[in-house]
C-alpha cells in the first residue's frame, strides 16, 4: 500500500474479497502447520493445511484473472459484482484452477527431483496429468481473454505486440 498507492487504490476495491480470502487462507495454513507439530492426530491438521493452501492458490488465480484492462486504463474500478459477468466469473475460475494446477505441478516435479522409487514414479505420473491440465487452462484463458475483452484483443493483435506474442501463442 505504501510502495504502490495507485495500484492499491485501483486493485483493492475490485478484488477485495479474493485478497481477504487469500490472506485468511494463508493464516489458516500457517496455524495448521504450527498445530500439526504438537497434535497427536495429524489428519485434521493435514487437511487444514491442504485446504488453506488450495484456497490461497485459487484466490491468487481469481486475482490474476480478475484484472480488467479497462479498469486499469481508466483508473476507475467498480465493485466486482457490478462489472462481473458470467463469462468473467468463468474466466476467473479457470484462472484459479490454473494456479492450483500449476502449484500442484510444481510440487510434483519437485518430488520427482528429490525422491526415488515409488514416490518419484507416482509424482511423475501426476506431473504428466497436471501438465495437461495447466496447458488446457492456459489455453482457455489465453483464448477467452481477447475474445471477451476488446481492449486486450486490440493490444495483443496490433503491431509490434503480435510479433512478440506469436511464439507464445503457437
Amino acid at each position: 500500500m505504501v510502495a504502490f498507492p495507485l495500484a492499491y487504490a485501483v486493485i483493492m476495491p475490485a478484488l477485495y474479497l479474493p485478497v481477504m480470502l487469500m490472506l485468511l487462507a494463508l493464516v489458516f495454513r500457517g496455524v495448521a502447520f504450527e498445530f500439526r507439530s504438537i497434535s497427536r492426530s495429524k489428519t485434521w491438521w493435514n487437511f487444514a493445511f491442504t485446504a488453506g493452501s488450495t484456497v490461497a492458490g485459487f484466490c491468487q488465480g481469481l486475482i490474476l484473472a480478475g484484472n480488467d484492462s479497462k479498469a486499469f486504463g481508466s483508473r476507475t474500478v467498480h465493485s466486482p459484482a457490478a462489472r462481473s459477468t458470467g463469462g468473467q466469473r468463468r474466466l476467473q475460475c479457470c484462472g484459479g484452477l490454473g494456479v492450483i494446477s500449476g502449484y500442484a505441478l510444481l510440487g510434483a516435479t519437485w518430488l520427482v527431483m528429490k525422491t526415488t522409487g515409488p514416490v518419484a514414479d507416482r509424482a511423475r505420473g501426476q506431473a504428466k496429468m497436471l501438465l495437461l491440465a495447466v496447458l488446457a487452462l492456459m489455453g482457455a484463458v489465453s483464448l477467452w481473454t481477447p475474445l471477451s475483452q476488446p481492449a486486450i484483443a486490440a493490444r495483443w493483435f496490433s503491431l509490434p505486440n503480435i510479433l512478440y506474442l506469436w511464439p507464445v501463442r503457437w
Side-chain angles (χ1 to χ4, degrees):
M1 183 169 77
V2 174
F4 303 103
L6 181 60
Y8 179 83
V10 170
I11 293 170
M12 280 305 290
L15 302 171
Y16 188 76
L17 185 60
V19 169
M20 289 300 121
L21 281 174
M22 180 188 68
L23 293 175
L24 287 172
L26 290 172
V27 168
F28 191 65
R29 182 181 179 265
V31 168
F33 187 75
E34 287 297 321
F35 280 109
R36 183 188 182 283
S37 64
I38 60 172
S39 177
R40 290 183 195 164
S41 173
K42 299 183 184 337
T43 304
W44 286 106
W45 293 114
N46 288 342
F47 176 77
F49 183 81
T50 302
S53 298
T54 303
V55 169
F58 186 76
C59 288
Q60 288 171 4
L62 290 178
I63 293 165
L64 183 65
N67 290 331
D68 188 319
S69 66
K70 291 181 287 191
F72 291 109
S74 65
R75 294 187 183 180
T76 59
V77 177
H78 306 290
S79 71
R83 71 173 178 90
S84 187
T85 63
Q88 179 68 19
R89 282 190 221 116
R90 285 188 289 273
L91 177 65
Q92 287 178 307
C93 287
C94 280
L97 293 174
V99 169
I100 291 171
S101 299
Y103 284 157
L105 176 62
L106 182 65
T109 55
W110 185 86
L111 282 174
V112 169
M113 282 182 7
K114 297 293 183 180
T115 61
T116 59
V119 173
D121 293 338
R122 181 176 175 199
R124 191 172 287 110
Q126 289 173 342
K128 290 175 185 176
M129 296 305 292
L130 289 165
L131 178 61
L132 293 176
V134 168
L135 290 174
L137 290 164
M138 278 176 48
V141 170
S142 294
L143 289 173
W144 202 325
T145 301
L147 293 175
S148 66
Q149 302 284 334
I152 292 176
R155 187 175 304 150
W156 280 14
F157 301 125
S158 66
L159 286 173
N161 294 342
I162 187 73
L163 300 175
Y164 299 131
L165 292 172
W166 189 260
V168 175
R169 296 182 58 78
W170 304 107

